[in-house]
Amino acid sequence: AGAPDKAALPGIAGSVLDLVGGTPCVRLNRVSWGCKANVIAKSELMEPCKSVKDRIGKNMIEDAEAKGLITPGETTLIEPTSGNTGIALAFVAAAKGYKLILTMPASMSIERRVLFRAFGAQLVLTDPGKAMAGAVAKAEELAASTDNAHILQQFENTANAEVHERTTGPEIWRDLDGKVDVLVCGVGTGGTITGTGAYLKAQNPACKVIAVEPAESPVLSGGKPGPHKIQGIGAGFLPGVLNTEIYDEVIQVPSIDAVAMARRMALEEGLFVGISSGAAAQAAVEVGCRPELEGKNVVVVLPSFGERYLSSVLFSQVRDEAEALSYGFGERVKYTDASGKSKYIG
């Protein structure tokens, strides 16, 4: 018998790309204890490659294809990234057959580097002191010297915000039955807050949109850029994608508070999230405690899964504890792992 007709398998996704979007909303219970409002998380950590950037990775590539700007097997895609967009582009590029070169500040976690390479992408590290501006400059330099290259440029690409206005916003509105009072969202490229905020405000003009940025790099608040530990937000400049008119307020979250809340999310909610999710959740809980929001719904976007932050400051304490565990053998034993590397344990 031949292969079954795809039309006869309506429950089967045509490819991994068909799995992007449709993430669930979940109520935060213990970390929001004492809040007047309901704090509800849009769980983008449940995307196929575990971050909200899966949406724009797919959409930016498909938008460029529709415009005739790129062709699989011919075009080399180049993109500056703090990590999650690079991972999203890498899995989409792998599924479609594109060569991909990514530029990223060297301060980002090792997990990101491994994931890039696992999907076959080439990685060029840039000066962490120059933040994302340095990665953008390197991407432009590489594009100028690479034949048939195309920079998708998430910070300027309208397909970034468009996919959130078309998908993320409507999903939140549907799941909350139209009862959305506040949206809290971290700002990296600005695509999520711009697109999602635009849709929600179009449905309910009274909906408040709150942007979250690192306290150490308060660019949205008119301050100067600076180093911080909240990977994925606080790019150090105002991206072209960001509509600064869409948000009503900016909350600054110190890195230490973002890390603490991300840890609490795992321990108290069972949600294994990254540092930027911790920042957004911290801001959402603060907003949810406001007396005027009693009984209202505060929605917070959780951008990514925690496993790609295992080597970061987020899990430094538990990592040290795990490495210090005794194996109870009474003596040190040589152990060779599956990759052939040997070490002594005990």
Side-chain angles (χ1 to χ4, degrees):
D5 184 354
K6 290 182 180 179
L9 300 170
I12 306 299
S15 79
V16 67
L17 303 182
D18 295 331
L19 303 178
V20 175
T23 55
C25 289
V26 59
R27 186 186 301 271
L28 299 186
N29 298 295
R30 297 177 66 191
V31 301
S32 65
W33 184 259
C35 283
K36 302 295 184 182
N38 304 306
V39 182
I40 298 161
K42 177 64 167 166
S43 301
E44 289 298 291
L45 59 150
M46 295 184 180
E47 294 282 3
C49 269
K50 309 305 181 186
S51 94
V52 67
K53 298 299 187 179
D54 288 7
R55 295 179 190 259
I56 74 167
K58 175 187 177 184
N59 200 52
M60 289 194 303
I61 287 178
E62 293 187 343
D63 177 71
E65 287 177 334
K67 294 174 178 175
L69 300 175
I70 61 175
T71 304
E74 297 179 12
T75 308
T76 296
L77 302 177
I78 300 176
E79 183 67 11
T81 177
S82 63
N84 285 325
T85 298
I87 294 166
L89 289 173
F91 94 84
V92 176
K96 285 178 168 286
Y98 286 97
K99 179 181 178 181
L100 175 65
I101 302 174
L102 300 166
T103 62
M104 183 179 76
S107 55
M108 302 302 165
S109 67
I110 189 67
E111 289 85 358
R112 285 163 156 77
R113 303 186 197 183
V114 173
L115 283 164
F116 293 158
R117 297 299 298 126
F119 284 118
Q122 179 182 337
L123 174 61
V124 177
L125 296 177
T126 61
D127 183 354
K130 296 180 180 179
M132 281 307 301
V136 170
K138 175 56 71 171
E140 292 171 348
E141 176 187 323
L142 289 170
S145 60
T146 303
D147 291 338
N148 202 15
H150 182 77
I151 300 181
L152 293 160
Q153 189 43 292
Q154 59 175 318
F155 292 97
E156 304 292 335
N157 196 321
T158 57
N160 179 342
E162 184 275 331
V163 73
H164 293 295
E165 187 168 5
R166 177 166 49 84
T167 65
T168 315
E171 289 169 19
I172 291 171
W173 187 256
R174 177 199 66 206
D175 290 350
L176 273 78
D177 195 27
K179 299 177 177 66
V180 184
D181 301 292
V182 181
L183 172 70
V184 178
C185 190
V187 176
T189 66
T192 306
I193 195 169
T194 296
T196 308
Y199 180 85
L200 294 177
K201 280 182 174 285
Q203 308 309 307
N204 174 20
C207 179
K208 300 298 182 184
V209 175
I210 299 177
V212 180
E213 68 176 348
E216 301 89 342
S217 188
V219 174
L220 302 183
S221 304
K224 295 181 179 180
H228 61 88
K229 299 184 184 302
I230 311 178
Q231 298 182 31
I233 67 172
F237 58 92
L238 290 177
V241 167
L242 177 65
N243 177 3
T244 58
E245 300 296 320
I246 206 69
Y247 50 84
D248 303 283
E249 179 184 348
V250 178
I251 292 180
Q252 299 175 22
V253 177
S255 294
I256 190 171
D257 291 348
V259 168
M261 179 55 82
R263 290 171 178 167
R264 287 186 63 196
M265 292 285 282
L267 292 170
E268 299 177 37
E269 300 289 347
L271 286 168
F272 198 45
V273 300
I275 305 173
S276 61
S277 296
Q282 176 65 32
V285 168
E286 291 177 9
V287 171
C289 288
R290 296 174 180 176
E292 67 270 22
L293 291 177
E294 184 166 5
K296 303 293 186 178
N297 292 326
V298 175
V299 178
V300 56
V301 177
L302 302 182
S304 62
F305 191 53
E307 196 166 15
R308 60 191 53 162
Y309 302 88
L310 291 176
S311 67
S312 75
V313 65
L314 179 54
F315 296 112
S316 58
Q317 182 178 342
V318 291
R319 188 172 63 248
D320 291 344
E321 291 172 357
E323 291 175 348
L325 287 173
S326 171
Y327 293 84
F329 299 141
E331 61 181 18
R332 291 176 64 78
V333 177
K334 186 177 182 181
Y335 168 75
T336 303
D337 65 21
S339 68
K341 294 182 179 180
S342 296
K343 62 179 179 179
Y344 284 89
I345 60 175

